[in-house]
């Protein structure tokens, strides 16, 4: 959520902001439909944990529901409570499972825990013994070794008739470790383990795929797929393949100053950048306080931003509130103070920034922070626009994919 006080007029708030973030909710809906198409007969859920990957669950979740999504995944129970207030009808799964002591909250808000350990199963059974039978999911670890029933815990459950009868298993799931690497042997191994376990719960829906998993093909789809990153415009295949998704996030920063440097002058903290000749530097009101990675400033080649339609490299370190870009290649009266530099958008993808920062698009999104002036571009509800009739994306024409 933006921290802009509610009593400030929106136009005035925008004029008073150093940076701005536009979130294209229509693109979220379109990306949802793209995945649902790929998933074929399987149902398509949505992961909206971590405030819908930083984009704002309150805005994003209703758009997904409108696009046909009936099943949602959050990480923590309190995220589920927030989601329940938005979507009274949705199925809401809590990936972290069951937190003992929080039982009434699950029951009151119809949150379905995805039980991931033997202890969680036992705590849930103790709770539902008094509260009455309630649906739960089961998370089997098939090789990622992160969260989910271990082999002996799964064996315990399969052998324990009483526990199985007392549970109302509504979903059986597992999570792939290498879904973005279609050639990885790990995928097949996890698929086999999962298929064997799910066979013991024929009435439950089965779910294995995150966004990248959906593109491994129908063997992996089962009954329900649960994408996150693709909905928000990230490329699930990272550098392996071009992104099938529309950008969702458009971030820009105000140019505060344009200065001239002589050869040998330096830029920023630590004087890490030295001008090789006369040059011009634009100072932009975005920094690591806005989730722009500090280490990008020390990286070679430098990350790029788009100013006056051209990709230009950063020069010098990223500071809390400011970045500096080399605009020497622009015509000499450009850019103008007050122009906006494109930080993220159709021409600078979240994956471009992620690669420059040595991370992944997920971290770019979840770190955006709340200093940007946020605008949500509404999804046009109802039926998707006929092909080719979609409204142009904000700030830039579509040229999907990153040109670097
Ligand atoms: C976050 C998460 C997902 C969604 O993954 P994406 O790669 O963002 O599509 C699916 N399943 C589990 C268990 C998750 O934690």
């Amino acid at each position: 959520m933006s921290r802009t006080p509610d009593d400030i007029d929106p136009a005035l708030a925008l004029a008073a902001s150093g940076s701005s973030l536009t979130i294209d909710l229509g693109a979220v809906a379109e990306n949802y439909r793209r995945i649902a198409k790929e998933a074929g007969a399987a149902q398509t859920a949505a992961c909206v944990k971590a405030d819908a990957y930083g984009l704002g669950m309150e805005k994003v979740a209703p758009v997904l529901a409108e696009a046909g999504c009936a099943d949602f995944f959050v990480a923590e129970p309190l995220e589920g409570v927030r989601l329940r207030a938005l979507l009274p009808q949705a199925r809401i799964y809590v990936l972290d499972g069951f937190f003992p002591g929080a039982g009434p909250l699950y029951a009151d808000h119809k949150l379905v825990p995805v039980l991931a350990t033997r202890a969680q199963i036992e705590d849930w059974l103790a709770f539902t013994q008094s509260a009455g039978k309630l649906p739960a999911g089961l998370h089997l670890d098939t090789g990622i070794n992160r969260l989910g029933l271990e082999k002996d815990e799964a064996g315990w459950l399969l052998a324990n008739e009483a526990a199985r009868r007392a549970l109302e298993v509504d979903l059986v799931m597992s999570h792939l470790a290498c879904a973005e690497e279609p050639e990885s042997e790990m995928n097949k191994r996890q698929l086999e383990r999962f298929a064997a376990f799910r066979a013991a719960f024929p009435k439950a829906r089965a779910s294995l795929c995150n966004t990248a998993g959906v593109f491994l093909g129908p063997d992996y789809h089962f009954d329900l797929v649960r994408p996150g990153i693709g909905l928000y415009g990230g490329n699930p295949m990272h550098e392996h393949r071009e992104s099938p998704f529309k950008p969702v996030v458009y971030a820009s920063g105000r140019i505060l100053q344009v200065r001239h440097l002589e050869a040998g002058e330096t830029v920023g903290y630590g004087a890490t950048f030295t001008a090789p000749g006369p040059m011009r530097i634009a100072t932009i009101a975005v920094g690591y306080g806005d989730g722009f990675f500090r280490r990008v400033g020390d990286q070679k080649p430098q990350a790029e931003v788009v100013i006056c339609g051209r990709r230009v490299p950063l020069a010098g370190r990223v500071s809390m509130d400011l970045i500096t870009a080399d605009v020497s290649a622009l015509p000499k009266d450009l850019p103008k103070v007050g122009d906006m530099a494109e930080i993220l958008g159709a021409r600078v993808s979240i994956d471009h920034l992620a690669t420059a920062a040595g991370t992944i698009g997920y971290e770019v999104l979840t770190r955006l922070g709340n200093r940007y002036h946020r605008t949500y571009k509404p999804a046009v509800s109802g039926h998707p626009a006929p092909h080719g009739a979609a409204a142009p994306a904000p700030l830039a024409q579509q040229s999907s994919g990153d040109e670097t």
Side-chain angles (χ1 to χ4, degrees):
M1 288 283 146
S2 164
R3 273 213 213 107
T4 313
D6 289 341
D7 57 348
I8 296 186
D9 171 74
L12 201 53
L14 182 58
S17 297
S19 57
S20 123
L21 188 63
T22 300
I23 293 163
D24 184 352
L25 295 171
V28 173
E30 210 171 298
N31 291 338
Y32 177 83
R33 291 189 287 263
R34 174 69 185 81
I35 297 170
K37 187 168 156 236
E38 193 74 25
Q43 292 166 298
T44 301
C47 284
V48 294
K49 61 200 185 189
D51 200 27
Y53 290 39
L55 301 189
M57 186 170 71
E58 271 71 14
K59 301 286 187 185
V60 165
V63 167
L64 289 165
E66 171 81 12
C69 183
D71 297 276
F72 291 81
F73 287 83
V74 293
E76 300 199 1
L78 285 175
E79 295 179 317
V81 172
R82 263 174 66 203
L83 183 57
R84 177 57 73 208
L86 302 165
L87 301 176
Q89 305 297 332
R91 193 67 142 176
I92 301 176
Y93 294 101
V94 178
L95 287 166
D96 283 357
F98 183 59
F99 293 177
L105 200 134
Y106 289 79
D108 292 350
H109 300 274
K110 295 202 186 68
L111 307 180
V112 184
V114 185
L115 305 172
T117 65
R118 175 174 170 172
Q120 285 192 358
I121 293 173
E122 289 172 337
D123 287 335
W124 177 251
L125 287 176
F127 170 67
T128 52
Q129 212 147 49
S130 53
K133 213 169 182 183
L134 292 167
L138 290 174
H139 186 167
L140 177 76
D141 192 308
T142 51
I144 192 171
N145 282 315
R146 189 182 68 167
L147 184 65
L149 297 169
E150 296 183 70
K151 212 188 242 167
D152 60 335
E153 293 179 307
W156 163 79
L157 179 61
L158 293 179
N160 189 331
E161 262 315 309
R164 286 176 58 183
R165 232 174 305 117
L167 284 173
E168 184 183 329
V169 180
D170 159 274
L171 176 80
V172 179
M173 62 163 266
S174 189
H175 193 49
L176 297 167
C178 305
E180 69 282 2
E181 298 166 38
E183 310 308 326
S184 171
E185 282 301 311
M186 190 75 177
N187 293 321
K188 277 193 221 96
R189 234 178 4 249
Q190 290 194 269
L191 176 64
E192 280 165 24
R193 287 182 192 158
F194 181 63
F197 183 75
R198 81 79 26 114
F201 301 90
K203 292 207 198 90
R205 288 189 297 174
S207 176
L208 181 60
C209 289
N210 62 353
T211 305
V214 176
F215 293 86
L216 293 174
D219 288 353
Y220 288 81
H221 292 166
F222 292 92
D223 304 308
L224 184 73
V225 299
R226 24 168 237 280
I229 193 70
L231 302 170
Y232 312 121
N235 184 355
M237 271 65 88
H238 309 303
E239 60 271 41
H240 300 282
R241 235 188 278 169
E242 200 177 308
S243 179
F245 302 114
K246 266 191 95 167
V248 169
V249 173
Y250 296 81
S252 57
R254 177 190 296 268
I255 295 175
L256 300 175
Q257 193 174 29
V258 182
R259 67 179 63 253
H260 294 262
L261 263 59
E262 304 296 339
E265 287 195 87
T266 65
V267 180
Y269 283 122
T272 55
F273 179 89
T274 304
M279 65 183 298
R280 291 183 303 131
I281 293 286
T283 303
I284 303 159
V286 167
Y288 61 76
D290 306 290
F292 198 95
F293 295 83
R294 183 176 179 278
R295 66 175 292 194
V296 157
D298 289 329
Q299 228 58 7
K300 296 265 180 326
Q302 285 274 10
E304 293 176 312
V305 298
V306 172
I307 298 180
C308 300
R310 274 184 82 146
R311 298 174 72 104
V312 298
L314 297 187
R317 286 212 172 131
V318 172
S319 48
M320 186 184 292
D321 315 309
L322 300 169
I323 53 178
T324 36
D326 175 3
V327 291
S328 311
L330 296 187
K332 95 176 169 332
D333 56 336
L334 293 176
K336 300 221 182 311
V337 166
D339 285 350
M340 296 302 271
E342 182 183 329
I343 307 299
L344 289 173
R347 284 167 295 183
V348 223
S349 70
I350 59 176
D351 300 288
H352 165 78
L353 180 57
T355 302
T359 182
I360 52 177
Y362 303 67
E363 199 182 357
V364 171
L365 294 182
T366 52
R367 280 173 43 123
L368 285 169
N370 51 18
R371 185 161 56 177
Y372 287 101
H373 179 271
R374 280 197 182 202
T375 308
Y376 286 90
K377 191 170 176 263
V380 185
S381 63
H383 299 289
H387 214 62
L395 289 182
Q397 289 299 320
Q398 285 306 106
S399 67
S400 75
D402 190 10
E403 295 118 49
T404 50

